[in-house]
Amino acid sequence: MTKFALAIHGGCGVMAKLDLSEAEWNAARSDLGRALEAGYAILERGGRAIDAVQAAVVVMEDSPHFNAGHGAALNENGIHELDASIMDGETLAAGAICGARHIRNPIIGARAVLEHGDAVLLAGPAADRFAESKGLAVEEQAYFTTEKRKRALAAMKAHVAAGTAVAASEAEKHGTVGAVALDQHGHLAAATSTGGYNNKPEGRVGDSPIIGAGTYARDGVCAISGTGKGEFFIRHVVGHEIAARMAYLGEDVKTASAKVIMEDLKVHNIGAGLVAVGADGSVAAPYNTDGMFRGWVTDAGEFRVASHAEVMSYP
């Protein structure tokens, strides 16, 4: 049995391989590696899985290469509305925020909700006020905006105007970041953060802050973080569905994850992916799109990162 493991994703909204320049891939690869290093450092010294997934997600939220925090997608009105959640598999405690506009690191906001204990999910201005009351870093909207997201919003608006939104690439549509971990004490945790999809309706909330859909962790079973069209993750209760298949059908984490991503969701013709870790330290990272930013590391200390089919060592 693996003593500990960590897996991360940077979203299945990855540009086609021919459109991803070597410089863009190297920059994203570096940030994926730094996220793995942040989580691994905690797990290696015997730290908690929930601290490891938070640390990994913070690195990706701070990177402009992923759709979360700095670099998040813009809604139809050119506004960032941020969603995140985190779950502790040991106690099933969870915290989430949605529709926030100013929390620098939404995953830290979600963790604060978990630690506060009275609520699982806080929305909109109340989430921002809660974060400020807890002394968390907040930013003006401009902090989250990148030129890449401005171009993606313009592209999606053009698709909508032309009636070709269905043909838009995954990179033009959406993206998410997430992490799952097993620690040396046998505890599991999961965390997910996103800006949603480009040109989304104001006030829209996807699966990322919904416990049991985009994020789920239960000791003895698995931890899941998803990426894709959130409405379908919610309808299929993806995180819990995978855990249920493992607990009640006896499937392993790779079989259960592949069934949901490659069969249940693929028939809807939507891009989807996830990372998962089982109670034995097994890692799964299925996706049905052209690519998915992802990476993993176990107690063997071998770091792996990828954007498309080829998996590479890091550094």
Side-chain angles (χ1 to χ4, degrees), residues 84-87 92-98 109-123 130 209-212:
S85 65
I86 191 166
M87 187 170 186
L92 301 186
I97 58 99
C98 65
R111 179 67 180 275
V113 174
L114 182 156
E115 298 291 351
H116 192 260
D118 288 345
V120 169
L121 175 62
L122 291 180
F130 172 80
I210 306 301
I211 300 304

Side-chain angles (χ1 to χ4, degrees), residues 236-267:
H236 286 267
V237 201
V238 166
H240 190 270
E241 174 72 7
I242 292 169
R245 295 189 70 88
M246 293 177 66
Y248 308 135
L249 295 180
E251 294 180 349
D252 60 39
V253 70
K254 293 185 178 180
T255 301
S257 298
K259 168 65 170 60
V260 173
I261 294 298
M262 306 308 295
E263 297 181 34
D264 295 354
L265 294 183
K266 192 171 184 179
V267 298

